Amino acid sequence: MSDIDGQKVKQKPSILVKLNRSMMLALLLLIFLMADVIFYIADNSKTHNAQIQRTIAQGVSHVLDGKLETYQKLVQKFASQNEVKWILSGNNVNEAVLWSQKHKRFLPDVIGLALVDTNSQVMGNMGELRVGQACQEDIAAFTQGSIPHLHDIHNDHPPLIHFDVMTRVLDDDDSVMGVVFASFSTQLIQDALDNMDDIPGLIRVYDQNGRIIASNNMVAQEDWLSTRLPIAHTSWQLELLSPPSGLASDFAAVFILILVTFITLSLTLIYFVRRWIGRLLGELINIRGHLYAVLSRDESYVPKEPRYKETETILPAIYGISGAIQYRQQHLARELETDSLTGLKNRRFLDNHLYEVQGALRPEDINYLVYLDLDHFKECNDRYGHAQGDRVLQTLASCLSRHSRQDDVLVRLGGDEFVAILKGVKEEALKAWYERIADSFNQRQKEQGLCSGLCTISAGAMLLNNELMDIHLLKKKADDALYLAKNTGRGRLVIYTETEAELEHPGQYKEQAKDA
């Protein structure tokens, strides 16, 4: 109690004082408790080790199952495409082969990709699509529904050891139209094991015939414990061999060590208790800093290594969870800013990025904002269907990506409207770029038979500079130039700086060209 202005004020107790008072009693009890714990752990060490090892093995199995589930979902996503249903409904083998070749690049570690009709027939040359005899047998069994699909390993050709993933394609009435088939290299399983550096032991994955298909680089000792369990949704087995984590067998030495520890702690705990608390608070501050970096999306932040054994497992776990959250945030952000049909950036990305580009402009920079629009696209959709219209949009996106540089920004606003931000290009280079895009697009339309080559590209461009900072006005001027291009013959590029006089009243052009 203290006296302040004649009033009694109760002081808050110090945690250090309480620790000092409790220390002697706690340490006296420690020696007796530890003796009981040692004998108890000795009796239960084998059971404890087995439980720990099984928990680790289940965690590894869950990771592998999650990886397989990711590939299964990718194949299921293909099965839901309207293009796939259209190909299967028309039994168009050529289109099926083109589809397989085009979509293989979206699947990492893929070996074969094919569409299968309701008669279990692969649509295309099996050799070219990399569908082997064993795969054909699995396809037939899966189509008929006579066996469960357990990702059996095919080892017919050792350089191409793989497993199959299949999913049925259903129409609007849930009737089976066919099957999407994909085969993946077992290298992806090996890669997953190679990334598990923190697993204390040897991991092996066996196929349905007991053959090892993947293993990490550990070397097992004779006294290591073994745990074996199945991997969910497969016919595979996982084996984990790891060293026992029991206490030392010499109880007398352990008992003496406890006595020495007791004496040492009795003499030094008071001195070090403050330092321990301070350092523990430092670890907590490190955790807070890491979580704040995740919240603020600060990718430059590098987490500190844990300083103590007690936090050696806690901090990596927190870092792992926060890293997963950060990855999901980044993945979601990419999805929100990407057009699903063409793979280009979308309107959300353009609105954010255009401010960054304009804000970073220097007086000597020459950048162009280009609006592009397909001519006669509505007529193409009406005459040839939306599926072919989508292919036209994808073809234009492909031409833009192929003939633009890595620093250029390519966006699909929606419908048949696209935007490009070309950095560091002069007017002549801009015109040459447009000609390359237009020529490539026309050629590929004719090669693929898209809408009988009906569509052409109209474009309007506006020079970006730091004198005009109104983003909405910049976009309006580029849009006005686009509508002038459509109104004066289509299939051409109009640069705003050449047409300011004609664009003083652009509304009439928009009204005339809005259905083009």
Side-chain angles (χ1 to χ4, degrees):
M1 304 287 288
S2 62
D3 193 347
I4 301 178
D5 297 333
Q7 297 182 354
K8 299 294 184 181
V9 179
K10 185 178 181 180
Q11 295 181 345
K12 294 181 179 180
S14 169
I15 189 172
L16 296 180
V17 173
K18 288 184 174 290
L19 283 173
N20 292 336
R21 292 174 181 176
S22 303
M23 178 186 64
M24 294 305 298
L25 178 61
L27 290 177
L28 287 174
L29 293 174
L30 176 64
I31 187 171
F32 301 105
L33 293 175
M34 286 301 298
D36 290 336
V37 170
I38 289 172
F39 288 104
Y40 175 80
I41 293 178
D43 292 336
N44 294 275
S45 61
K46 289 186 178 181
T47 302
H48 182 66
N49 284 331
Q51 290 174 345
I52 292 176
Q53 190 176 46
R54 186 168 185 84
T55 300
I56 295 174
Q58 287 173 343
V60 174
S61 176
H62 181 71
V63 170
L64 294 178
D65 179 48
K67 197 168 188 67
L68 293 174
E69 185 180 0
T70 298
Y71 283 85
Q72 184 72 45
K73 288 181 178 179
L74 286 174
V75 176
Q76 289 173 350
K77 188 174 182 179
F78 284 156
S80 65
Q81 291 181 353
N82 290 330
E83 182 181 2
V84 170
K85 296 179 181 180
W86 174 74
I87 293 172
L88 289 172
S89 64
N91 197 27
N92 193 322
V93 175
N94 291 333
E95 290 294 336
V97 171
L98 289 175
W99 180 90
S100 300
Q101 294 172 345
K102 179 174 67 175
H103 287 78
K104 276 185 70 174
R105 59 192 176 94
F106 295 112
L107 294 175
D109 299 305
V110 68
I111 290 179
L113 178 65
L115 299 181
V116 182
D117 63 21
T118 53
N119 296 320
S120 304
Q121 297 300 311
V122 175
M123 299 178 69
N125 185 285
M126 291 176 55
E128 294 178 357
L129 297 176
R130 291 194 172 181
V131 181
Q133 184 61 38
C135 299
Q136 178 65 29
E137 293 173 359
D138 273 3
I139 290 172
F142 179 72
T143 305
Q144 298 167 8
S146 60
I147 64 169
H149 185 45
L150 298 178
H151 304 308
D152 285 351
I153 299 296
H154 294 166
N155 198 19
D156 321 22
H157 305 288
L160 298 176
I161 301 176
H162 64 278
F163 62 91
D164 298 339
V165 175
M166 290 177 275
T167 189
R168 294 179 175 87
V169 181
L170 305 177
D171 61 13
D172 294 337
D173 299 326
D174 290 336
S175 299
V176 178
M177 303 177 67
V179 171
V180 177
F181 164 87
S183 59
F184 297 94
S185 170
T186 55
Q187 183 61 39
L188 67 91
I189 306 172
Q190 182 63 55
D191 292 342
L193 296 186
D194 291 341
N195 290 329
M196 298 181 185
D197 298 332
D198 56 340
I199 301 299
L202 171 64
I203 309 171
R204 292 173 179 158
V205 178
Y206 298 87
D207 67 7
Q208 69 278 6
N209 296 318
R211 295 173 298 197
I212 297 176
I213 58 175
S215 172
N216 63 359
N217 295 323
M218 295 290 291
V219 178
Q221 305 297 325
E222 293 183 0
D223 62 338
W224 283 16
L225 303 176
S226 173
T227 296
R228 195 160 178 167
L229 69 163
I231 298 176
H233 308 112
T234 73
S235 56
W236 310 344
Q237 293 281 325
L238 172 73
E239 182 182 28
L240 173 63
L241 294 161
S242 60
S245 58
L247 297 176
S249 59
D250 190 349
F251 294 142
V254 175
F255 193 76
I256 294 173
L257 179 62
I258 291 176
L259 287 176
V260 174
T261 305
F262 169 75
I263 296 172
T264 304
L265 288 175
S266 298
L267 297 174
T268 59
L269 184 58
I270 296 176
Y271 172 74
F272 284 109
V273 69
R274 292 181 181 273
R275 296 181 63 184
W276 291 344
I277 292 176
R279 292 177 179 179
L280 181 59
L281 288 175
E283 299 282 60
L284 296 177
I285 292 173
N286 188 27
I287 293 174
R288 183 184 66 179
H290 182 76
L291 295 178
Y292 181 78
V294 172
L295 181 64
S296 60
R297 298 184 181 180
D298 182 6
E299 298 182 359
S300 63
Y301 178 81
V302 179
K304 298 179 180 178
E305 291 292 328
R307 300 176 61 184
Y308 302 102
K309 185 177 180 180
E310 289 77 10
T311 55
E312 191 174 36
T313 56
I314 297 175
L315 288 180
I318 293 175
Y319 294 159
I321 294 172
S322 59
I325 294 173
Q326 189 175 34
Y327 172 79
R328 290 179 180 273
Q329 287 177 335
Q330 293 170 348
H331 181 70
L332 179 60
R334 285 195 297 269
E335 284 191 342
L336 290 175
E337 293 181 343
T338 303
D339 177 59
S340 59
L341 177 63
T342 62
L344 302 182
K345 297 299 183 180
N346 60 16
R347 184 186 296 271
R348 178 192 295 269
F349 175 85
L350 177 66
D351 292 341
N352 296 330
H353 188 72
L354 196 53
Y355 283 101
E356 297 177 7
V357 172
Q358 190 71 350
L361 280 178
R362 299 169 300 178
E364 66 271 18
D365 289 341
I366 302 177
N367 299 338
Y368 276 96
L369 174 66
V370 186
Y371 273 49
L372 303 101
D373 188 275
L374 285 173
D375 304 318
H376 309 294
F377 183 70
K378 182 177 184 302
E379 182 180 352
C380 171
N381 268 336
D382 294 342
R383 289 175 58 184
Y384 299 98
H386 289 280
Q388 190 156 158
D390 288 347
R391 290 181 60 198
V392 170
L393 295 174
Q394 291 170 339
T395 299
L396 176 54
S398 175
C399 293
L400 286 169
S401 300
R402 181 177 181 183
H403 294 285
S404 300
R405 300 162 305 173
Q406 187 175 1
D407 290 341
D408 297 334
V409 178
L410 304 174
V411 175
R412 181 190 175 207
L413 287 181
D416 60 338
E417 296 179 347
F418 293 76
V419 172
I421 300 177
L422 305 182
K423 301 178 181 180
V425 296
K426 296 183 179 180
E427 183 175 315
E428 292 304 319
L430 168 65
K431 293 177 180 179
W433 172 84
Y434 168 78
E435 292 298 333
R436 289 195 300 271
I437 299 294
D439 293 344
S440 176
F441 176 69
N442 291 335
Q443 181 180 355
R444 293 183 64 179
Q445 270 194 113
K446 295 175 182 178
E447 291 175 352
Q448 300 177 27
L450 298 177
C451 298
S452 301
L454 177 66
C455 296
T456 55
I457 305 171
S458 291
M462 173 63 192
L463 177 66
L464 298 178
N465 54 62
N466 55 9
E467 296 178 1
L468 180 58
M469 301 301 293
D470 189 333
I471 298 299
H472 297 290
L473 184 57
L474 284 171
K475 293 162 65 175
K476 178 181 179 300
K477 291 188 175 185
D479 193 41
D480 289 343
L482 167 63
Y483 278 105
L484 180 60
K486 295 182 72 68
N487 189 65
T488 56
R490 299 189 181 94
R492 61 189 294 258
L493 167 68
V494 171
I495 301 174
Y496 187 87
T497 53
E498 295 178 345
T499 57
E500 288 189 4
E502 297 175 82
L503 289 171
E504 290 180 358
H505 304 287
Q508 57 180 319
Y509 303 128
K510 293 186 179 182
E511 191 65 29
Q512 296 171 12
K514 64 181 179 179
D515 294 328

